[in-house]
Amino acid sequence: MIRQLIKYKLFLFGAVLIGGTFLASLFYFIFFNDQIPSSPLLYDDNGRPLHAPYSGTVYPPLGTDEFGRDIAVVMLVGAKYTIGAAFLISLLRVVPAIFIGVFIQLYLKGIKRPLKSVADSLTYFPITLLAFLLLNWVSLRGILFEEGAPPSGIQIIIYVAVLSLIFIPINSVLIANEVELIYNKEFIACSRTLGAGKWRIITKHIRPFLVPQLWIILIREFIQSLILMSHLGILSIFIGGVVFKENLFGNRAAVSLSSEWAGTLGMWWDYLWTSYPWIAFIPIGLITLLILAAKGMLDSLEHLLASEQPVQMEKTVNEEDVSLTHLTSFQLLKARNE
């Protein structure tokens, strides 16, 4: 499937952009230890000093922030934390939901309806507000927050856990519904008639159809994670911890310790209403580019699966017919009981 996906330009563009950005940020950490250079004091044509932030025309390529730090390097440093956190949260949302959803559909159908009610209720409640209420007491003004201190492991764990656990019930119901759709197909009924047990149906029939759907769910969760992290960043909830410094206007502002893009968006959000709006547009543009890259991968994958599903279904039916028709009566009975 990977070879076929590479033929899609949108998928290739998204994979290269996301993977290349992550690797570039990782290499900068390995070789330069995430050192962020600061610009020297610059002067205008009349010899008068210019105060930071400097625009991209004065200090290329992207200028500096209010502390004189090179924004291009700040974005490079924060890229691995942004992409890595979004991908980790997506995995933690999907992987437990796989086992829960399959188990519920096959063995505990009775709790599917109440679990669906819980999942539906979560969709009506603003997820950003719920995450903010849960994280505010540990990240910004809570009992685990200590100003000036580096982020503790428990803070990061709680951040990732909250953004993950909220969506597990929703994804469990979604995966259970996907399993039900596959389980009700005609070729599954034929396999059960021929003696296939639940384990064989899961591994031989459900798995080939479910795995591609899981990739679709994973990419969707990656996009949703980026959006939710951005919303929390505007509310000053940063995944890498926070310190407070005096900004250009003499106000005490929150600063992200990890420079992840959602945190820098929150740091520079107020600059949208000043004479330096380009500072805020940089993380906005980069996060948007990440989301568009993931959306291109998602669309390519959905298009490929839509074209291959009938072929895969026919192949699965033929394989099952061949494998089960060669069983002896005793082996057929054994397979039925599995």
PDB file of all heavy atoms in Angstrom, residues 170-202:
ATOM      1  N   ILE A 170     -14.743   8.051  22.521  1.00  0.00           N
ATOM      2  CA  ILE A 170     -15.264   8.368  21.188  1.00  0.00           C
ATOM      3  C   ILE A 170     -14.670   7.436  20.145  1.00  0.00           C
ATOM      4  O   ILE A 170     -15.388   6.867  19.303  1.00  0.00           O
ATOM      5  CB  ILE A 170     -14.962   9.838  20.843  1.00  0.00           C
ATOM      6  CG1 ILE A 170     -15.609  10.778  21.866  1.00  0.00           C
ATOM      7  CG2 ILE A 170     -15.432  10.178  19.437  1.00  0.00           C
ATOM      8  CD1 ILE A 170     -15.225  12.229  21.705  1.00  0.00           C
ATOM      9  N   ASN A 171     -13.357   7.241  20.202  1.00  0.00           N
ATOM     10  CA  ASN A 171     -12.702   6.374  19.222  1.00  0.00           C
ATOM     11  C   ASN A 171     -13.061   4.908  19.424  1.00  0.00           C
ATOM     12  O   ASN A 171     -13.108   4.140  18.450  1.00  0.00           O
ATOM     13  CB  ASN A 171     -11.184   6.552  19.295  1.00  0.00           C
ATOM     14  CG  ASN A 171     -10.732   7.889  18.746  1.00  0.00           C
ATOM     15  OD1 ASN A 171     -11.370   8.455  17.860  1.00  0.00           O
ATOM     16  ND2 ASN A 171      -9.644   8.414  19.260  1.00  0.00           N
ATOM     17  N   SER A 172     -13.313   4.496  20.665  1.00  0.00           N
ATOM     18  CA  SER A 172     -13.720   3.113  20.916  1.00  0.00           C
ATOM     19  C   SER A 172     -15.052   2.813  20.245  1.00  0.00           C
ATOM     20  O   SER A 172     -15.226   1.757  19.617  1.00  0.00           O
ATOM     21  CB  SER A 172     -13.817   2.861  22.425  1.00  0.00           C
ATOM     22  OG  SER A 172     -12.566   3.028  23.061  1.00  0.00           O
ATOM     23  N   VAL A 173     -15.999   3.727  20.375  1.00  0.00           N
ATOM     24  CA  VAL A 173     -17.297   3.557  19.714  1.00  0.00           C
ATOM     25  C   VAL A 173     -17.124   3.582  18.197  1.00  0.00           C
ATOM     26  O   VAL A 173     -17.748   2.789  17.472  1.00  0.00           O
ATOM     27  CB  VAL A 173     -18.275   4.659  20.172  1.00  0.00           C
ATOM     28  CG1 VAL A 173     -19.568   4.594  19.374  1.00  0.00           C
ATOM     29  CG2 VAL A 173     -18.565   4.522  21.662  1.00  0.00           C
ATOM     30  N   LEU A 174     -16.274   4.476  17.701  1.00  0.00           N
ATOM     31  CA  LEU A 174     -16.045   4.565  16.256  1.00  0.00           C
ATOM     32  C   LEU A 174     -15.467   3.258  15.712  1.00  0.00           C
ATOM     33  O   LEU A 174     -15.917   2.745  14.681  1.00  0.00           O
ATOM     34  CB  LEU A 174     -15.102   5.730  15.960  1.00  0.00           C
ATOM     35  CG  LEU A 174     -14.726   5.954  14.484  1.00  0.00           C
ATOM     36  CD1 LEU A 174     -15.954   6.248  13.646  1.00  0.00           C
ATOM     37  CD2 LEU A 174     -13.711   7.096  14.368  1.00  0.00           C
ATOM     38  N   ILE A 175     -14.478   2.704  16.407  1.00  0.00           N
ATOM     39  CA  ILE A 175     -13.864   1.455  15.955  1.00  0.00           C
ATOM     40  C   ILE A 175     -14.841   0.297  16.088  1.00  0.00           C
ATOM     41  O   ILE A 175     -14.898  -0.599  15.235  1.00  0.00           O
ATOM     42  CB  ILE A 175     -12.564   1.201  16.738  1.00  0.00           C
ATOM     43  CG1 ILE A 175     -11.522   2.253  16.353  1.00  0.00           C
ATOM     44  CG2 ILE A 175     -12.028  -0.207  16.468  1.00  0.00           C
ATOM     45  CD1 ILE A 175     -10.263   2.213  17.173  1.00  0.00           C
ATOM     46  N   ALA A 176     -15.641   0.287  17.167  1.00  0.00           N
ATOM     47  CA  ALA A 176     -16.659  -0.757  17.326  1.00  0.00           C
ATOM     48  C   ALA A 176     -17.650  -0.715  16.165  1.00  0.00           C
ATOM     49  O   ALA A 176     -18.075  -1.773  15.653  1.00  0.00           O
ATOM     50  CB  ALA A 176     -17.383  -0.595  18.660  1.00  0.00           C
ATOM     51  N   ASN A 177     -18.013   0.478  15.723  1.00  0.00           N
ATOM     52  CA  ASN A 177     -18.919   0.605  14.577  1.00  0.00           C
ATOM     53  C   ASN A 177     -18.260   0.107  13.290  1.00  0.00           C
ATOM     54  O   ASN A 177     -18.916  -0.517  12.445  1.00  0.00           O
ATOM     55  CB  ASN A 177     -19.357   2.061  14.413  1.00  0.00           C
ATOM     56  CG  ASN A 177     -20.270   2.514  15.528  1.00  0.00           C
ATOM     57  OD1 ASN A 177     -20.943   1.699  16.159  1.00  0.00           O
ATOM     58  ND2 ASN A 177     -20.303   3.810  15.783  1.00  0.00           N
ATOM     59  N   GLU A 178     -16.969   0.393  13.134  1.00  0.00           N
ATOM     60  CA  GLU A 178     -16.252  -0.101  11.954  1.00  0.00           C
ATOM     61  C   GLU A 178     -16.208  -1.631  11.947  1.00  0.00           C
ATOM     62  O   GLU A 178     -16.418  -2.264  10.903  1.00  0.00           O
ATOM     63  CB  GLU A 178     -14.824   0.462  11.931  1.00  0.00           C
ATOM     64  CG  GLU A 178     -14.720   1.950  11.647  1.00  0.00           C
ATOM     65  CD  GLU A 178     -15.079   2.289  10.216  1.00  0.00           C
ATOM     66  OE1 GLU A 178     -15.022   1.396   9.351  1.00  0.00           O
ATOM     67  OE2 GLU A 178     -15.422   3.461   9.963  1.00  0.00           O
ATOM     68  N   VAL A 179     -15.941  -2.227  13.109  1.00  0.00           N
ATOM     69  CA  VAL A 179     -15.913  -3.690  13.209  1.00  0.00           C
ATOM     70  C   VAL A 179     -17.290  -4.271  12.897  1.00  0.00           C
ATOM     71  O   VAL A 179     -17.412  -5.301  12.218  1.00  0.00           O
ATOM     72  CB  VAL A 179     -15.437  -4.120  14.608  1.00  0.00           C
ATOM     73  CG1 VAL A 179     -15.540  -5.639  14.775  1.00  0.00           C
ATOM     74  CG2 VAL A 179     -13.999  -3.674  14.842  1.00  0.00           C
ATOM     75  N   GLU A 180     -18.332  -3.598  13.375  1.00  0.00           N
ATOM     76  CA  GLU A 180     -19.688  -4.086  13.110  1.00  0.00           C
ATOM     77  C   GLU A 180     -20.012  -4.050  11.618  1.00  0.00           C
ATOM     78  O   GLU A 180     -20.619  -4.991  11.081  1.00  0.00           O
ATOM     79  CB  GLU A 180     -20.698  -3.232  13.877  1.00  0.00           C
ATOM     80  CG  GLU A 180     -22.139  -3.704  13.724  1.00  0.00           C
ATOM     81  CD  GLU A 180     -23.113  -2.855  14.503  1.00  0.00           C
ATOM     82  OE1 GLU A 180     -22.706  -1.771  14.995  1.00  0.00           O
ATOM     83  OE2 GLU A 180     -24.280  -3.256  14.649  1.00  0.00           O
ATOM     84  N   LEU A 181     -19.599  -2.980  10.931  1.00  0.00           N
ATOM     85  CA  LEU A 181     -19.848  -2.890   9.489  1.00  0.00           C
ATOM     86  C   LEU A 181     -19.144  -4.017   8.737  1.00  0.00           C
ATOM     87  O   LEU A 181     -19.715  -4.615   7.815  1.00  0.00           O
ATOM     88  CB  LEU A 181     -19.365  -1.529   8.968  1.00  0.00           C
ATOM     89  CG  LEU A 181     -20.190  -0.305   9.368  1.00  0.00           C
ATOM     90  CD1 LEU A 181     -19.508   0.971   8.897  1.00  0.00           C
ATOM     91  CD2 LEU A 181     -21.603  -0.387   8.809  1.00  0.00           C
ATOM     92  N   ILE A 182     -17.908  -4.304   9.137  1.00  0.00           N
ATOM     93  CA  ILE A 182     -17.171  -5.390   8.471  1.00  0.00           C
ATOM     94  C   ILE A 182     -17.776  -6.741   8.829  1.00  0.00           C
ATOM     95  O   ILE A 182     -17.922  -7.623   7.978  1.00  0.00           O
ATOM     96  CB  ILE A 182     -15.681  -5.333   8.871  1.00  0.00           C
ATOM     97  CG1 ILE A 182     -15.069  -3.982   8.474  1.00  0.00           C
ATOM     98  CG2 ILE A 182     -14.902  -6.466   8.211  1.00  0.00           C
ATOM     99  CD1 ILE A 182     -13.672  -3.747   9.014  1.00  0.00           C
ATOM    100  N   TYR A 183     -18.154  -6.906  10.094  1.00  0.00           N
ATOM    101  CA  TYR A 183     -18.668  -8.193  10.574  1.00  0.00           C
ATOM    102  C   TYR A 183     -19.987  -8.552   9.912  1.00  0.00           C
ATOM    103  O   TYR A 183     -20.340  -9.728   9.798  1.00  0.00           O
ATOM    104  CB  TYR A 183     -18.837  -8.131  12.094  1.00  0.00           C
ATOM    105  CG  TYR A 183     -18.851  -9.484  12.764  1.00  0.00           C
ATOM    106  CD1 TYR A 183     -17.662 -10.175  13.006  1.00  0.00           C
ATOM    107  CD2 TYR A 183     -20.045 -10.068  13.157  1.00  0.00           C
ATOM    108  CE1 TYR A 183     -17.669 -11.408  13.626  1.00  0.00           C
ATOM    109  CE2 TYR A 183     -20.059 -11.312  13.776  1.00  0.00           C
ATOM    110  CZ  TYR A 183     -18.864 -11.973  14.002  1.00  0.00           C
ATOM    111  OH  TYR A 183     -18.870 -13.202  14.615  1.00  0.00           O
ATOM    112  N   ASN A 184     -20.741  -7.547   9.464  1.00  0.00           N
ATOM    113  CA  ASN A 184     -22.044  -7.802   8.855  1.00  0.00           C
ATOM    114  C   ASN A 184     -21.979  -8.001   7.338  1.00  0.00           C
ATOM    115  O   ASN A 184     -23.021  -8.169   6.705  1.00  0.00           O
ATOM    116  CB  ASN A 184     -22.997  -6.635   9.160  1.00  0.00           C
ATOM    117  CG  ASN A 184     -23.388  -6.595  10.630  1.00  0.00           C
ATOM    118  OD1 ASN A 184     -23.389  -7.622  11.309  1.00  0.00           O
ATOM    119  ND2 ASN A 184     -23.708  -5.416  11.127  1.00  0.00           N
ATOM    120  N   LYS A 185     -20.786  -7.996   6.776  1.00  0.00           N
ATOM    121  CA  LYS A 185     -20.665  -8.208   5.336  1.00  0.00           C
ATOM    122  C   LYS A 185     -20.929  -9.673   4.995  1.00  0.00           C
ATOM    123  O   LYS A 185     -20.753 -10.568   5.817  1.00  0.00           O
ATOM    124  CB  LYS A 185     -19.275  -7.781   4.851  1.00  0.00           C
ATOM    125  CG  LYS A 185     -19.050  -6.272   4.931  1.00  0.00           C
ATOM    126  CD  LYS A 185     -17.718  -5.888   4.355  1.00  0.00           C
ATOM    127  CE  LYS A 185     -17.503  -4.378   4.445  1.00  0.00           C
ATOM    128  NZ  LYS A 185     -18.462  -3.609   3.632  1.00  0.00           N
ATOM    129  N   GLU A 186     -21.328  -9.892   3.751  1.00  0.00           N
ATOM    130  CA  GLU A 186     -21.731 -11.231   3.325  1.00  0.00           C
ATOM    131  C   GLU A 186     -20.599 -12.239   3.390  1.00  0.00           C
ATOM    132  O   GLU A 186     -20.807 -13.400   3.742  1.00  0.00           O
ATOM    133  CB  GLU A 186     -22.297 -11.165   1.902  1.00  0.00           C
ATOM    134  CG  GLU A 186     -23.620 -10.414   1.796  1.00  0.00           C
ATOM    135  CD  GLU A 186     -24.181 -10.457   0.388  1.00  0.00           C
ATOM    136  OE1 GLU A 186     -23.548 -11.105  -0.471  1.00  0.00           O
ATOM    137  OE2 GLU A 186     -25.225  -9.830   0.153  1.00  0.00           O
ATOM    138  N   PHE A 187     -19.378 -11.828   3.047  1.00  0.00           N
ATOM    139  CA  PHE A 187     -18.295 -12.802   3.035  1.00  0.00           C
ATOM    140  C   PHE A 187     -17.948 -13.271   4.451  1.00  0.00           C
ATOM    141  O   PHE A 187     -17.448 -14.373   4.638  1.00  0.00           O
ATOM    142  CB  PHE A 187     -17.049 -12.234   2.334  1.00  0.00           C
ATOM    143  CG  PHE A 187     -16.310 -11.182   3.116  1.00  0.00           C
ATOM    144  CD1 PHE A 187     -15.274 -11.535   3.962  1.00  0.00           C
ATOM    145  CD2 PHE A 187     -16.639  -9.844   2.982  1.00  0.00           C
ATOM    146  CE1 PHE A 187     -14.571 -10.576   4.661  1.00  0.00           C
ATOM    147  CE2 PHE A 187     -15.957  -8.880   3.674  1.00  0.00           C
ATOM    148  CZ  PHE A 187     -14.921  -9.237   4.524  1.00  0.00           C
ATOM    149  N   ILE A 188     -18.240 -12.424   5.476  1.00  0.00           N
ATOM    150  CA  ILE A 188     -18.041 -12.866   6.860  1.00  0.00           C
ATOM    151  C   ILE A 188     -19.058 -13.950   7.195  1.00  0.00           C
ATOM    152  O   ILE A 188     -18.727 -14.965   7.832  1.00  0.00           O
ATOM    153  CB  ILE A 188     -18.181 -11.678   7.832  1.00  0.00           C
ATOM    154  CG1 ILE A 188     -17.087 -10.645   7.579  1.00  0.00           C
ATOM    155  CG2 ILE A 188     -18.139 -12.157   9.273  1.00  0.00           C
ATOM    156  CD1 ILE A 188     -15.710 -11.046   8.017  1.00  0.00           C
ATOM    157  N   ALA A 189     -20.309 -13.748   6.772  1.00  0.00           N
ATOM    158  CA  ALA A 189     -21.333 -14.767   7.009  1.00  0.00           C
ATOM    159  C   ALA A 189     -20.973 -16.079   6.311  1.00  0.00           C
ATOM    160  O   ALA A 189     -21.174 -17.171   6.860  1.00  0.00           O
ATOM    161  CB  ALA A 189     -22.692 -14.256   6.539  1.00  0.00           C
ATOM    162  N   CYS A 190     -20.425 -15.986   5.088  1.00  0.00           N
ATOM    163  CA  CYS A 190     -20.002 -17.196   4.376  1.00  0.00           C
ATOM    164  C   CYS A 190     -18.879 -17.902   5.132  1.00  0.00           C
ATOM    165  O   CYS A 190     -18.871 -19.139   5.237  1.00  0.00           O
ATOM    166  CB  CYS A 190     -19.535 -16.828   2.968  1.00  0.00           C
ATOM    167  SG  CYS A 190     -20.835 -16.170   1.908  1.00  0.00           S
ATOM    168  N   SER A 191     -17.945 -17.119   5.666  1.00  0.00           N
ATOM    169  CA  SER A 191     -16.837 -17.718   6.407  1.00  0.00           C
ATOM    170  C   SER A 191     -17.328 -18.410   7.669  1.00  0.00           C
ATOM    171  O   SER A 191     -16.857 -19.492   8.033  1.00  0.00           O
ATOM    172  CB  SER A 191     -15.814 -16.636   6.756  1.00  0.00           C
ATOM    173  OG  SER A 191     -15.292 -16.048   5.591  1.00  0.00           O
ATOM    174  N   ARG A 192     -18.288 -17.786   8.353  1.00  0.00           N
ATOM    175  CA  ARG A 192     -18.830 -18.412   9.567  1.00  0.00           C
ATOM    176  C   ARG A 192     -19.571 -19.703   9.215  1.00  0.00           C
ATOM    177  O   ARG A 192     -19.512 -20.691   9.953  1.00  0.00           O
ATOM    178  CB  ARG A 192     -19.773 -17.428  10.258  1.00  0.00           C
ATOM    179  CG  ARG A 192     -19.055 -16.204  10.818  1.00  0.00           C
ATOM    180  CD  ARG A 192     -20.035 -15.149  11.287  1.00  0.00           C
ATOM    181  NE  ARG A 192     -20.890 -15.666  12.350  1.00  0.00           N
ATOM    182  CZ  ARG A 192     -21.949 -15.031  12.830  1.00  0.00           C
ATOM    183  NH1 ARG A 192     -22.300 -13.858  12.285  1.00  0.00           N
ATOM    184  NH2 ARG A 192     -22.656 -15.540  13.800  1.00  0.00           N
ATOM    185  N   THR A 193     -20.260 -19.693   8.071  1.00  0.00           N
ATOM    186  CA  THR A 193     -20.958 -20.908   7.635  1.00  0.00           C
ATOM    187  C   THR A 193     -19.977 -22.030   7.347  1.00  0.00           C
ATOM    188  O   THR A 193     -20.241 -23.209   7.630  1.00  0.00           O
ATOM    189  CB  THR A 193     -21.795 -20.611   6.384  1.00  0.00           C
ATOM    190  OG1 THR A 193     -22.710 -19.553   6.674  1.00  0.00           O
ATOM    191  CG2 THR A 193     -22.563 -21.834   5.938  1.00  0.00           C
ATOM    192  N   LEU A 194     -18.822 -21.671   6.789  1.00  0.00           N
ATOM    193  CA  LEU A 194     -17.805 -22.662   6.473  1.00  0.00           C
ATOM    194  C   LEU A 194     -17.009 -23.118   7.698  1.00  0.00           C
ATOM    195  O   LEU A 194     -16.195 -24.027   7.589  1.00  0.00           O
ATOM    196  CB  LEU A 194     -16.839 -22.101   5.424  1.00  0.00           C
ATOM    197  CG  LEU A 194     -17.430 -21.900   4.018  1.00  0.00           C
ATOM    198  CD1 LEU A 194     -16.448 -21.149   3.133  1.00  0.00           C
ATOM    199  CD2 LEU A 194     -17.782 -23.244   3.396  1.00  0.00           C
ATOM    200  N   GLY A 195     -17.250 -22.470   8.848  1.00  0.00           N
ATOM    201  CA  GLY A 195     -16.638 -22.952  10.082  1.00  0.00           C
ATOM    202  C   GLY A 195     -15.617 -22.045  10.709  1.00  0.00           C
ATOM    203  O   GLY A 195     -14.968 -22.440  11.687  1.00  0.00           O
ATOM    204  N   ALA A 196     -15.421 -20.848  10.189  1.00  0.00           N
ATOM    205  CA  ALA A 196     -14.428 -19.950  10.773  1.00  0.00           C
ATOM    206  C   ALA A 196     -14.891 -19.448  12.135  1.00  0.00           C
ATOM    207  O   ALA A 196     -16.036 -19.043  12.297  1.00  0.00           O
ATOM    208  CB  ALA A 196     -14.187 -18.767   9.838  1.00  0.00           C
ATOM    209  N   GLY A 197     -13.983 -19.473  13.123  1.00  0.00           N
ATOM    210  CA  GLY A 197     -14.283 -18.955  14.453  1.00  0.00           C
ATOM    211  C   GLY A 197     -14.005 -17.468  14.557  1.00  0.00           C
ATOM    212  O   GLY A 197     -13.544 -16.830  13.605  1.00  0.00           O
ATOM    213  N   LYS A 198     -14.248 -16.903  15.736  1.00  0.00           N
ATOM    214  CA  LYS A 198     -14.095 -15.462  15.921  1.00  0.00           C
ATOM    215  C   LYS A 198     -12.647 -15.030  15.742  1.00  0.00           C
ATOM    216  O   LYS A 198     -12.374 -13.980  15.150  1.00  0.00           O
ATOM    217  CB  LYS A 198     -14.598 -15.056  17.310  1.00  0.00           C
ATOM    218  CG  LYS A 198     -16.114 -15.022  17.432  1.00  0.00           C
ATOM    219  CD  LYS A 198     -16.540 -14.466  18.772  1.00  0.00           C
ATOM    220  CE  LYS A 198     -18.069 -14.370  18.859  1.00  0.00           C
ATOM    221  NZ  LYS A 198     -18.509 -13.809  20.162  1.00  0.00           N
ATOM    222  N   TRP A 199     -11.709 -15.825  16.277  1.00  0.00           N
ATOM    223  CA  TRP A 199     -10.306 -15.435  16.170  1.00  0.00           C
ATOM    224  C   TRP A 199      -9.857 -15.411  14.713  1.00  0.00           C
ATOM    225  O   TRP A 199      -9.128 -14.513  14.292  1.00  0.00           O
ATOM    226  CB  TRP A 199      -9.441 -16.377  16.989  1.00  0.00           C
ATOM    227  CG  TRP A 199      -7.989 -16.059  16.913  1.00  0.00           C
ATOM    228  CD1 TRP A 199      -7.006 -16.778  16.309  1.00  0.00           C
ATOM    229  CD2 TRP A 199      -7.352 -14.898  17.465  1.00  0.00           C
ATOM    230  NE1 TRP A 199      -5.782 -16.141  16.439  1.00  0.00           N
ATOM    231  CE2 TRP A 199      -5.970 -14.983  17.148  1.00  0.00           C
ATOM    232  CE3 TRP A 199      -7.805 -13.788  18.188  1.00  0.00           C
ATOM    233  CZ2 TRP A 199      -5.047 -14.024  17.539  1.00  0.00           C
ATOM    234  CZ3 TRP A 199      -6.890 -12.826  18.565  1.00  0.00           C
ATOM    235  CH2 TRP A 199      -5.535 -12.945  18.249  1.00  0.00           C
ATOM    236  N   ARG A 200     -10.287 -16.396  13.941  1.00  0.00           N
ATOM    237  CA  ARG A 200      -9.926 -16.420  12.523  1.00  0.00           C
ATOM    238  C   ARG A 200     -10.572 -15.261  11.778  1.00  0.00           C
ATOM    239  O   ARG A 200      -9.952 -14.637  10.906  1.00  0.00           O
ATOM    240  CB  ARG A 200     -10.351 -17.751  11.896  1.00  0.00           C
ATOM    241  CG  ARG A 200      -9.939 -17.874  10.435  1.00  0.00           C
ATOM    242  CD  ARG A 200     -10.301 -19.215   9.841  1.00  0.00           C
ATOM    243  NE  ARG A 200      -9.842 -19.299   8.463  1.00  0.00           N
ATOM    244  CZ  ARG A 200      -8.618 -19.647   8.098  1.00  0.00           C
ATOM    245  NH1 ARG A 200      -7.724 -19.957   9.018  1.00  0.00           N
ATOM    246  NH2 ARG A 200      -8.279 -19.690   6.822  1.00  0.00           N
ATOM    247  N   ILE A 201     -11.810 -14.957  12.122  1.00  0.00           N
ATOM    248  CA  ILE A 201     -12.491 -13.836  11.469  1.00  0.00           C
ATOM    249  C   ILE A 201     -11.781 -12.522  11.781  1.00  0.00           C
ATOM    250  O   ILE A 201     -11.609 -11.659  10.911  1.00  0.00           O
ATOM    251  CB  ILE A 201     -13.967 -13.786  11.907  1.00  0.00           C
ATOM    252  CG1 ILE A 201     -14.731 -14.973  11.302  1.00  0.00           C
ATOM    253  CG2 ILE A 201     -14.619 -12.474  11.483  1.00  0.00           C
ATOM    254  CD1 ILE A 201     -16.145 -15.096  11.784  1.00  0.00           C
ATOM    255  N   ILE A 202     -11.323 -12.368  13.036  1.00  0.00           N
ATOM    256  CA  ILE A 202     -10.631 -11.137  13.421  1.00  0.00           C
ATOM    257  C   ILE A 202      -9.313 -10.997  12.678  1.00  0.00           C
ATOM    258  O   ILE A 202      -8.996  -9.946  12.118  1.00  0.00           O
ATOM    259  CB  ILE A 202     -10.397 -11.112  14.943  1.00  0.00           C
ATOM    260  CG1 ILE A 202     -11.726 -10.985  15.690  1.00  0.00           C
ATOM    261  CG2 ILE A 202      -9.475  -9.950  15.325  1.00  0.00           C
ATOM    262  CD1 ILE A 202     -11.593 -11.129  17.180  1.00  0.00           C
TER     263      ILE A 202
END
